[in-house]
Amino acid sequence: MILILSPNIDPEGDRYQQLMAHLSRLQDIAVRVHREVGTEQTLTEIYLVGNTSSISVDDMKGLPGVERVVRVSEECRVVGRHRDDHRPSHFDYKGLRFGQDTLHVFAGLCAVDTKEHVEAMMRALRDNGQICTRMGAYKPRTSPYSFQGHGKECLPYVFELAGKYGIKVIAMEVTHESHIDEIHEALQAAGGPTGAMLQIGTRNTQNFELLKIVGRQQDYPVLLKRGFGITFSESLHAAEYLASEGNHKIIFGLRGIKTNIGDPHRNFLDFAHVPVVRRLTRLPVCIDPSHAVGLRTSGAEGILDIMHATAQGVIAGANMVLVDFHPAPNRALVDGPQALLLEELPHFLEDIQIAREAYEKRVALATRSRTEGA
Ligand code: PEP
Ligand code: MN
């Protein structure tokens, strides 16, 4: 059960103290408080964990400071959408809104290799009006002999160049808890020129200890990729691990799943699940067409499969596109074959715009049909 308190309620005030005193007397119920500090107001939610079936919603509504009560039946208490649940499906970070109603493109390097390539990438982004990117410093590789990423060594120039080119948020994978501190320290040392979104890759979707640690910090939002070899519901539970530790700034990423039925693509495209994630959870949804498709093949009309895949996700309501680009894919140390070229960036962005407009028209059409049918 979730109690949503009046906005800006004072934790030192009488109403809050009386409420907490009452809740502490409930038998066998654990009380967890989550506070979300926004630009305009602070929202406080209280999670009652345990057998809440005998607690009446009306009783809870009558307690001091309680504005609304949501009875949660499903497992994913925090990230799930529940009946009469009007909790927000967006968050703000670095002045940007990430929600089920917005769309951001994170084009960039799968792996940082040279400072020159980082600069060329960021310059192209700036020239094309982009303020987000992806930059891999820590790479989870199948083989221990493959390039593992430059790690913290590259962070100073990545962050400095981001500041120089007006990049506000960088999606960056972390594979170990120490990486969070390294990113934090490097950002502070650089004077905070940009922001970071911590990415949990598909290989770590069920690394529960990492999820708990990333979920416990609230400095950085998290992009959680769906596990490529586990069930959909198991991946949603991974998101719940992050949220139950306190971090609600989560984006759920679809990146294809592992099965040879997906051949000749690298993974089997799962972007038909974009609306499913949006229905079952309050999380914005990211699509990663690069890791889903994995190569630069194109359809008979000359459109790259990666662009087709992107359009499929965006037309279905995706809120973020994470995509690999590289100034010289043949010299990339990771995933060169799936990287788009910098000169393809304007085309890619325009194609996304077409798909987004089509999505918006589809929403308007569905709304009209519903009202006319009502
Ligand atoms: C990546 O985005 O660089 C990556 C390794 O993705 P995934 O975890 O989806 O394989
Ligand atoms: Mn990659």
Side-chain angles (χ1 to χ4, degrees):
M1 183 175 277
I2 307 171
L3 313 186
I4 296 145
L5 308 192
S6 317
N8 300 322
I9 192 163
D10 176 9
E12 308 296 330
D14 286 349
R15 282 189 311 162
Y16 187 85
Q17 297 295 330
Q18 284 166 14
L19 171 67
M20 293 314 269
H22 184 93
L23 297 179
S24 68
R25 288 194 292 273
L26 294 174
Q27 292 284 313
D28 300 322
I29 298 289
V31 178
R32 279 198 193 186
V33 180
H34 176 75
R35 213 161 269 127
E36 193 78 41
V37 183
T39 40
E40 275 146 38
Q41 57 185 15
T42 297
L43 288 177
T44 308
E45 293 174 354
I46 297 190
Y47 292 83
L48 302 182
V49 185
N51 184 5
T52 53
S53 54
S54 60
I55 301 177
S56 127
V57 168
D58 286 338
D59 285 355
M60 291 296 116
K61 270 192 192 147
L63 294 175
V66 176
E67 192 171 273
R68 276 182 296 120
V69 177
V70 180
R71 190 182 283 289
V72 180
S73 45
E74 302 83 3
E75 279 289 296
C76 289
R77 295 157 202 254
V78 187
V79 301
R81 254 183 208 289
H82 311 291
R83 213 148 61 87
D84 304 324
D85 185 357
H86 306 292
R87 291 174 299 156
S89 54
H90 64 84
F91 63 83
D92 296 312
Y93 180 61
K94 289 283 163 189
L96 305 188
R97 177 185 168 118
F98 293 91
Q100 289 196 336
D101 56 350
T102 60
L103 175 62
H104 296 282
V105 178
F106 283 62
L109 304 182
C110 178
V112 171
D113 40 32
T114 68
K115 186 174 175 185
E116 292 67 34
H117 288 156
V118 173
E119 178 144 28
M121 184 72 235
M122 294 208 184
R123 192 183 304 114
L125 290 167
R126 191 226 20 220
D127 293 349
N128 284 279
Q130 296 302 297
I131 51 175
C132 299
T133 189
R134 57 160 297 150
M135 289 281 149
Y138 309 95
K139 297 308 301 177
R141 305 304 305 279
T142 303
S143 164
Y145 308 114
S146 304
F147 174 62
Q148 304 284 310
H150 288 309
K152 68 174 178 185
E153 307 308 321
C154 68
L155 298 181
Y157 66 79
V158 169
F159 294 153
E160 185 215 308
L161 287 168
K164 177 171 169 189
Y165 290 101
I167 300 294
K168 291 198 155 66
V169 187
I170 303 179
M172 184 174 277
E173 180 160 357
V174 292
T175 57
H176 187 268
E177 61 190 85
S178 58
H179 301 159
I180 310 169
D181 296 333
E182 290 175 5
I183 290 171
H184 192 69
E185 279 157 26
L187 274 174
Q188 293 213 310
T194 186
M197 179 181 287
L198 304 180
Q199 188 177 319
I200 308 255
T202 196
R203 293 159 186 79
N204 274 314
T205 309
Q206 283 193 315
N207 183 340
F208 300 118
E209 297 312 313
L210 182 64
L211 292 173
K212 285 187 210 164
I213 289 164
V214 172
R216 242 167 251 154
Q217 62 77 38
Q218 294 195 31
D219 292 325
Y220 306 105
V222 188
L223 168 62
L224 172 76
K225 296 258 196 114
R226 174 187 195 162
F228 57 13
I230 57 175
T231 66
F232 182 68
S233 141
E234 285 164 345
S235 292
L236 292 186
H237 279 78
E240 186 70 14
Y241 257 96
L242 293 165
S244 68
E245 293 292 339
N247 193 337
H248 293 194
K249 295 186 166 81
I250 305 168
I251 297 180
F252 189 86
L254 298 174
R255 44 83 69 213
I257 54 172
K258 216 177 166 90
T259 158
N260 287 346
I261 298 169
D263 289 352
H265 289 164
R266 185 174 174 183
N267 288 284
F268 196 59
L269 202 65
D270 54 351
F271 297 170
H273 289 174
V274 168
V276 181
V277 180
R278 290 161 47 105
R279 179 174 74 243
L280 296 179
T281 77
R282 298 176 298 117
L283 306 177
V285 187
C286 172
I287 50 162
D288 175 346
S290 304
H291 289 81
V293 172
L295 69 182
R296 290 180 48 86
T297 44
S298 46
E301 71 296 85
I303 300 174
L304 289 170
D305 291 8
I306 290 178
M307 295 203 195
H308 274 302
T310 307
Q312 287 166 22
V314 171
I315 208 166
N319 308 111
M320 170 170 166
V321 178
L322 186 78
V323 59
D324 291 2
F325 271 76
H326 199 285
N330 56 347
R331 282 192 273 138
L333 297 178
V334 184
D335 286 348
Q338 69 192 26
L340 303 187
L341 311 173
L342 298 192
E343 45 280 25
E344 289 169 333
L345 184 56
H347 174 172
F348 183 73
L349 294 171
E350 199 174 330
D351 205 33
I352 288 183
Q353 199 47 42
I354 293 171
R356 179 70 181 174
E357 280 163 20
Y359 166 70
E360 283 162 0
K361 282 189 193 157
R362 294 177 62 229
V363 173
L365 174 63
T367 313
R368 217 168 52 233
S369 310
R370 254 202 327 270
T371 356
E372 281 164 11

